[in-house]
Amino acid sequence: MYIKIFVISIAETAMVYATLAIFNKSDMLVTTLGIIGAILLFISSILSGALVSGNRMRLNHAVEDKNEMQNKKTIQVFTFILGLMNVFACLIIYFSSKPL
């Protein structure tokens, strides 16, 4: 599953680069990848329950069934890895384009 997410992340980064290259905006690549990565990491933190109180977490565990919790965890892991890969790609491109 993690290799599939890694391949999807590379394909997504390539699509963003190709789209910006078509419109001759390849200087916006770092900004675009950073924003996409931040949005995906924010969605992941919402789905993981990191932004809610303990009472809300306890209620969520009491009300949700096992399949729903598993689906939410799968989406949370997917968005976290995809967001993290976008941020890493953003940082690699940013620091590799800077002159020493």
Side-chain angles (χ1 to χ4, degrees):
M1 178 173 115
Y2 298 116
I3 294 175
K4 184 196 301 187
I5 296 172
F6 181 71
V7 170
I8 290 172
S9 174
I10 291 173
E12 183 261 336
T13 303
M15 287 189 324
V16 168
Y17 179 75
T19 303
L20 291 174
I22 288 172
F23 293 115
N24 202 14
K25 301 280 186 184
S26 50
D27 56 332
M28 292 177 47
L29 180 65
V30 173
T31 307
T32 306
L33 287 176
I35 290 172
I36 292 172
I39 290 171
L40 288 171
L41 288 175
F42 182 70
I43 291 171
S44 174
S45 65
I46 289 173
L47 291 175
S48 71
L51 303 177
V52 296
S53 67
N55 290 335
R56 178 69 60 159
M57 278 282 256
R58 187 170 47 248
L59 180 66
N60 286 343
H61 283 290
V63 173
E64 292 176 346
D65 62 344
K66 191 169 188 147
N67 289 334
E68 188 175 345
M69 288 176 76
Q70 185 63 31
N71 288 339
K72 191 163 78 169
K73 183 178 179 185
T74 303
I75 294 170
Q76 183 262 330
V77 169
F78 179 77
T79 56
F80 177 75
I81 293 175
L82 195 59
L84 202 61
M85 293 301 293
N86 275 313
V87 170
F88 282 154
C90 169
L91 292 174
I92 289 170
I93 293 169
Y94 178 75
F95 285 119
S96 67
S97 66
K98 288 277 191 182
L100 296 175

